[in-house]
Every structure is written in structure tokens, then in C-alpha cells.
Amino acid sequence: MQVYIMRHGQAFTSGKSDALRELTVQGQLEAKLMAKWFNTQKIEIDHIIVSPFVRAKQTSQQLLQQLGNKINLTTLDFTTPSGSVKQMHDYLDGICVKDNVKTLLIISHMPFVSYLVAELTENGDCPIFQTAGVACIDYDTERMKGDLISLTSPYDIKNKAKLKK
């Protein structure tokens, strides 16, 4: 199973409670850029799990517009910034394996996304995510652990595009 873990796009830092913070214009562009990246990589997402916080939901909406609205979407309360990575791991091993999900995308927040990568990987990798950054884990459902394959951000994609010019 391929598990992609994504941090939401850039969000406003003040003015509302943490759960209600919205994406900035930059954050919307970051989410769109990463959706295009999924398409160019020919990554077909079966299921998206998203935090209930506004900025994560807005990120998922940007992705669904680019990737297609037929992707299953689940909002889980334990995927907030202070959520339970252990509970997410259990959910992944239970529900996702039972439903034969091949490619899963989880959209959440720092530090949850970093701790989740550590929880799901054999080496306990705990990367720092840029906004809209995506980690790819090759997850072995038998071992219930995986290997961190890559970490890609909008910044990386923009730099690669500049180098090609």
C-alpha cells in the first residue's frame, strides 16, 4: 500500500481559532501545485483522510478538484495537530486494509504529520514538512510498518522547474 501524508497549504496565522484558520492565496496555490504533481506522477488516490480543521479541508477540496471528485473522503477527529498517531495507525491497519485501499492520502497538520511518519516507518523517520509537503511511505500491511520513500514540497517542484529552463 502506498501511504501519502500531506501537510495542509499555508494558512493565516491569526484572527480565528486554530480549527477555523483558512488557507491563504499562497496555500491554495500550493495545494493546486501538489495536486498537479500527483497527476504528473500518475498517482491514483483511492481514499483521502482529512482533519476536520478548515485549512486541511480546503486543501483536500483543491486536490479533489484536480484529481477528481470520485475519491472516497473521510474526516477523522483524531487527525488534528494534537491528534493520536497511534489511533491513525490502528485505523489504517484495520479499516484501510479491510477495504483493500491501495493508495491512501492523509491531509493533516504539523506536528501530527511528522509524528505519523515516525509511527508508520521502520526507521522512525520524523521529517519536518513544509506547507503542502507530501511524504510517500511504501507501507507493508503484513509488517504494519513501511519505509519513507520521498518527501516532496511545492518548493521542490518549483526549483526543479527553474532548473529545467
Side-chain angles (χ1 to χ4, degrees), residues 53-153:
F53 284 19
V54 170
R55 60 194 179 273
K57 285 184 169 186
Q58 289 175 326
T59 299
S60 71
Q61 290 165 357
Q62 294 290 337
L63 287 164
L64 287 170
Q65 287 175 5
Q66 296 286 324
L67 302 177
N69 289 319
K70 301 211 187 293
I71 299 170
N72 292 322
L73 179 74
T74 304
T75 302
L76 296 176
D77 290 340
F78 52 81
T79 58
T80 60
S82 60
S84 171
V85 294
K86 176 69 173 126
Q87 193 172 0
M88 183 66 238
H89 193 174
D90 290 345
Y91 184 88
L92 186 146
D93 288 333
I95 301 301
C96 294
V97 171
K98 177 183 76 79
D99 292 344
N100 200 28
V101 173
K102 300 279 187 230
T103 309
L104 174 68
L105 171 62
I106 301 163
I107 303 172
S108 188
H109 316 267
M110 284 293 290
F112 184 87
V113 291
S114 290
Y115 295 152
L116 184 58
V117 171
E119 172 71 21
L120 297 179
T121 57
E122 197 71 49
N123 294 341
D125 298 309
C126 193
I128 301 299
F129 282 69
Q130 293 182 22
T131 53
V134 176
C136 174
I137 296 174
D138 186 21
Y139 189 78
D140 184 335
T141 57
E142 297 293 318
R143 292 184 305 139
M144 296 185 200
K145 287 286 183 181
D147 296 306
L148 178 62
I149 303 301
S150 64
L151 183 61
T152 306
S153 73

Side-chain angles (χ1 to χ4, degrees), residues 28-69:
Q28 293 171 22
L29 293 172
E30 290 171 344
K32 286 178 186 175
L33 182 62
M34 294 313 291
K36 288 179 184 175
W37 175 81
F38 276 108
N39 280 333
T40 60
Q41 300 298 308
K42 299 190 180 354
I43 299 166
E44 294 183 23
I45 305 295
D46 297 327
H47 196 102
I48 295 175
I49 295 173
V50 64
S51 160
F53 284 19
V54 170
R55 60 194 179 273
K57 285 184 169 186
Q58 289 175 326
T59 299
S60 71
Q61 290 165 357
Q62 294 290 337
L63 287 164
L64 287 170
Q65 287 175 5
Q66 296 286 324
L67 302 177
N69 289 319

